[in-house]
Amino acid sequence: SPPHLVSVPADLPPSYGGSASRDVLGFEVDSINSVQFSNHTGYSHWKGQVLTADELHVLYEGIKLNNVHHYDYVLTGYTRDTSFLEMVVDIVQELKRANPNLVYVCDPVLGDHGSMYVPQNLYPVYKNKVVPVADIITPNQFEAELLTGKNISTEKDAVEVMDLLHAMGPDTVVITSSDLPSRLGDRFLVSLGSQRHVRPDGSRTTQRVRIEVPKVDAVFVGTGDLFAAMLLAWTHHYPNDLKTACEKTFSVMHHVIQRTISYAHDLAGPGRRPSPPQLELRMVQSKADIEDPAIVTEATVIP
């Protein structure tokens, strides 16, 4: 049977890249929207409701009552509420007791570029409760530094930060973006990944990779959700090969973003900056790339 996944994203229609892309890749997805908004918050206005921790618990209880709470994966993204986040941890721990092989993928959304954009009281919850139960995490550089208390100035620093994150719990860490200089020039940014494996004899080995990613001069909403969903899917298909999983994931991102930016510029016209509606991720149009991406982003193994 296909892998079964419960996803608790900040589902911000219509530009949410996570659930649809996982469906396409053969996962049975139960989505629980942590918000139900008219549109994502990249627009000037939005209306809707925010799911509370109690409401999340009620939904989970309904799933349990029908005995359909048997999951292979849990994926979570943005939230602004500590009680909601703590409820997620309780649910993940219960699901892991039922299935010790369950993989929890967490995008620890805290902030970027040196500042937090969630309430500060979420930070200790992520550090002390969420990250320790996560198996795969996808922080950016700021979030990785915040969670470990260590700054990243060099690739060596980044490796040490990823090792510190491993020590906190997760076996797979991908720093989705960093300020490190790219070997390909200033039109690229550097992402890094690290994956721990346990050999049959019980010893550990770690694969680390570096990815050079082309920069795009536009602001998209939903790319973090899409990235975490793609990494979940491709690490499922390549559980012991982070290099290939990252190449697939970053290549999907490249194709979706390039298709989106090309479409947005065509709509906006020459010399005009695309608007939020024009920058909605072109997910449906990218179905073939999501299913079988041409590899355009190669990962380099860090010795």
Side-chain angles (χ1 to χ4, degrees), residues 41-80:
T41 56
Y43 288 80
S44 301
H45 309 281
W46 64 91
K47 296 286 186 180
Q49 302 81 39
V50 177
L51 195 71
T52 66
D54 288 343
E55 289 164 342
L56 172 62
H57 184 254
V58 168
L59 290 174
Y60 178 61
E61 286 298 310
I63 292 170
K64 279 205 301 183
L65 285 170
N66 289 297
N67 195 31
V68 289
H69 59 299
H70 308 292
Y71 293 101
D72 302 293
Y73 289 90
V74 175
L75 171 63
T76 63
Y78 175 81
T79 184
R80 294 184 58 85

Side-chain angles (χ1 to χ4, degrees), residues 140-155:
N140 57 36
Q141 176 174 330
F142 171 73
E143 290 158 348
E145 291 174 333
L146 195 62
L147 290 167
T148 60
K150 180 176 174 60
N151 290 332
I152 297 174
S153 302
T154 64
E155 187 178 279

Side-chain angles (χ1 to χ4, degrees), residues 27-241:
F27 289 76
E28 295 281 356
V29 183
D30 293 348
S31 282
I32 298 175
N33 298 345
S34 58
V35 300
Q36 185 70 31
F37 284 172
S38 56
N39 47 270
H40 67 65
T41 56
Y43 288 80
S44 301
H45 309 281
W46 64 91
K47 296 286 186 180
Q49 302 81 39
V50 177
L51 195 71
T52 66
D54 288 343
E55 289 164 342
L56 172 62
H57 184 254
V58 168
L59 290 174
Y60 178 61
E61 286 298 310
I63 292 170
K64 279 205 301 183
L65 285 170
N66 289 297
N67 195 31
V68 289
H69 59 299
H70 308 292
Y71 293 101
D72 302 293
Y73 289 90
V74 175
L75 171 63
T76 63
Y78 175 81
T79 184
R80 294 184 58 85
D81 181 72
T82 54
S83 60
F84 188 93
L85 202 52
E86 288 170 339
M87 180 62 67
V88 166
V89 172
D90 290 344
I91 291 171
V92 168
Q93 288 175 324
E94 185 170 314
L95 291 173
K96 282 194 170 195
R97 285 193 291 272
N99 175 15
N101 294 319
L102 179 141
V103 174
Y104 173 31
V105 182
C106 171
D107 182 6
V109 182
L110 289 162
D112 204 357
H113 305 299
S115 61
M116 291 182 67
Y117 43 60
V118 299
Q120 295 214 354
N121 59 359
L122 262 71
Y123 160 68
V125 181
Y126 270 112
K127 181 173 182 177
N128 301 322
K129 297 183 178 181
V130 179
V131 173
V133 299
D135 300 283
I136 300 174
I137 59 169
T138 59
N140 57 36
Q141 176 174 330
F142 171 73
E143 290 158 348
E145 291 174 333
L146 195 62
L147 290 167
T148 60
K150 180 176 174 60
N151 290 332
I152 297 174
S153 302
T154 64
E155 187 178 279
K156 180 173 178 289
D157 292 338
V159 168
E160 290 174 4
V161 163
M162 291 189 291
D163 284 345
L164 288 170
L165 289 167
H166 285 319
M168 293 167 69
D171 283 333
T172 301
V173 176
V174 176
I175 298 176
T176 56
S177 61
S178 76
D179 298 325
L180 295 177
S182 169
R183 293 162 189 168
L184 300 179
D186 59 9
R187 294 177 65 185
F188 289 79
L189 59 82
V190 174
S191 299
L192 303 109
S194 180
Q195 188 173 58
R196 290 190 307 189
H197 304 284
V198 179
R199 293 191 182 100
D201 64 3
S203 62
R204 288 185 180 273
T205 180
T206 304
Q207 183 188 47
R208 301 184 182 93
V209 296
R210 173 189 179 107
I211 309 100
E212 319 275 340
V213 185
K215 292 179 180 176
V216 178
D217 183 24
V219 176
F220 304 96
V221 175
T223 49
D225 295 313
L226 176 60
F227 183 89
M230 289 296 91
L231 188 65
L232 183 159
W234 291 114
T235 52
H236 172 78
H237 290 297
Y238 298 93
N240 298 309
D241 185 359

